[in-house]
Amino acid sequence: MNNPKTTPPAFTSVYANDPSNLVAEAFAELYPDAKYEAILAPSIVDPNGQIVVSCITFPNEQDGSDTVPVIAINSQVGVEVAAEALGKELIHVALGPDSLDGGEEYDKALAALKAKYEEIATARFPEEEPEPNGGGGNGEQ
């Protein structure tokens, strides 16, 4: 863990179409002052030994530290699942520990994050025109 006091300002990835990177970018646009740290964990299991996709740890408010929430995503899940899990955990960052049980405010914030993600993704990766059906380019029908 680098500096737990700040989230890295640049959202860069070696992949041009990294869904988790796009989620983080969308979140930063909606909540520019939110601070967190996100990590990939080799495995996450609950106390019963069940595999968990993600989890979040909030700092103890009483300890006086200026640490930030830490999101862990299970690296064993696919990229789409990881991105979705990151989005859900980021909304908890924005709304705080009281949002862990979900609710209307959580649902609205998650919908706004999904909309911002779609806006960024569509602008960055516009759909290509579909090719016409038939024809192999040789003039024969």
Side-chain angles (χ1 to χ4, degrees):
M1 290 182 209
N2 296 338
N3 181 355
K5 296 179 184 179
T6 61
T7 300
F11 295 98
T12 59
S13 174
V14 298
Y15 305 108
N17 61 344
D18 180 350
S20 290
N21 195 59
L22 293 174
V23 168
E25 196 174 323
F27 180 77
E29 285 193 28
L30 294 173
Y31 302 96
D33 297 328
K35 305 285 187 248
Y36 65 93
E37 185 169 333
I39 62 170
L40 288 172
S43 179
I44 306 173
V45 295
D46 69 12
N48 297 321
Q50 297 295 311
I51 295 173
V52 177
V53 172
S54 65
C55 64
I56 186 168
T57 303
F58 286 95
N60 184 345
E61 294 175 4
Q62 286 74 34
D63 70 7
S65 71
D66 56 355
T67 59
V68 297
V70 176
I71 297 169
I73 305 293
N74 189 331
S75 66
Q76 302 299 311
V77 299
V79 293
E80 291 89 4
V81 173
E84 183 178 349
L86 177 63
K88 290 176 179 179
E89 299 297 359
L90 285 171
I91 295 305
H92 294 311
V93 167
L95 300 180
D98 291 340
S99 70
L100 292 174
D101 290 331
E104 187 175 336
E105 184 181 13
Y106 175 85
D107 292 341
K108 285 180 182 179
L110 185 58
L113 179 61
K114 288 179 179 181
K116 179 57 76 173
Y117 172 93
E118 289 297 327
E119 176 185 316
I120 292 170
T122 300
R124 196 160 299 155
F125 309 106
E127 293 186 36
E128 296 179 16
E129 290 292 320
E131 292 192 23
N133 290 331
N138 62 5
E140 294 180 18
Q141 295 284 336

